[in-house]
Amino acid sequence: MVSSPPETEPALDLREATDADQPLLAELYRATRDDLAPLGDGAAVASLIAMQQRVHAEGRRRQFPGARQLLLYSDGRCVAQLVLDRAPRRLHLVDLAVLPEARGQGFGRALLRWAQRQAAEAGVPLDLRVRRDNHTARLLYLELGFRAGTGDEVFEPMRWEPAADAQAPP
């Protein structure tokens, strides 16, 4: 269930990720791998997650070489990551991850609204793919005006069009 948005969106303290941020990126990746939690937190699981993170990051760099990887800070601590790829006719939200302890505080919503503003300024749609079993994220995307497309059994493509959102009631 998507929680009600906070009265105001949190201020965005966005910074480009650098090589020095690898420990933060590893923490974000680990924190979002709920599917591996039943395996425990031993050294073997930590090694598996680290390997998967490297493969995931390398695949993302190959598929979206020009994507910007932004980190969101709140009170001096990294709480979320947004990876956004700009193409001539669209923006593609490659990845959005919020630390579990920071969820429900409006950070994901604020990042999505920021990405929507970037798309609107460029006059292009914003698209993404969401796991079909990620009901919370999916509901948030729908609430923010994204429309679902036809995907596969695992992922559902979604798109937000600036013109469609401008016609929607506030």
Side-chain angles (χ1 to χ4, degrees):
M1 180 160 125
V2 175
S3 59
S4 297
E7 293 297 317
T8 60
E9 290 180 357
L12 293 182
D13 180 6
L14 286 173
R15 302 175 194 169
E16 293 276 346
T18 67
D19 289 340
D21 293 314
Q22 288 310 309
L24 289 172
L25 297 171
E27 179 185 355
L28 271 165
Y29 187 82
R30 270 192 311 276
T32 59
R33 289 305 308 263
D34 299 334
D35 57 322
L36 298 177
L39 299 176
D41 58 0
V45 174
S47 178
L48 172 66
I49 292 173
M51 179 198 64
Q52 287 184 341
Q53 180 200 9
R54 284 190 302 275
V55 169
H56 175 77
E58 182 55 38
R60 186 180 65 225
R61 279 191 294 274
R62 272 195 316 274
Q63 189 173 1
F64 304 102
R68 293 178 67 197
Q69 185 172 25
L70 302 166
L71 300 177
L72 175 64
Y73 285 79
S74 176
D75 296 326
R77 183 170 193 273
C78 179
V79 295
Q81 159 185 255
L82 174 76
V83 180
L84 194 62
D85 185 57
R86 185 178 299 266
R89 294 191 190 120
R90 66 151 175 80
L91 283 183
H92 180 71
L93 196 154
V94 178
D95 194 17
L96 173 63
V98 179
L99 286 172
E101 62 270 19
R103 293 178 187 157
Q105 298 176 42
F107 295 118
R109 177 181 299 277
L111 285 169
L112 286 165
R113 287 305 229 182
W114 180 85
Q116 287 174 314
R117 286 190 298 275
Q118 302 304 302
E121 288 172 12
V124 297
L126 173 63
D127 62 25
L128 57 87
R129 289 177 1 129
V130 62
R131 287 186 61 93
R132 290 188 182 277
D133 62 357
N134 190 345
H135 304 295
T136 303
R138 193 175 173 284
L139 287 172
L140 177 59
Y141 298 143
L142 291 170
E143 186 179 307
L144 291 177
F146 284 82
R147 303 283 182 252
T150 304
D152 56 34
E153 292 177 11
V154 179
F155 289 99
E156 179 176 38
M158 300 188 93
R159 175 170 275 202
W160 176 82
E161 297 278 351
D165 194 56
Q167 297 170 0

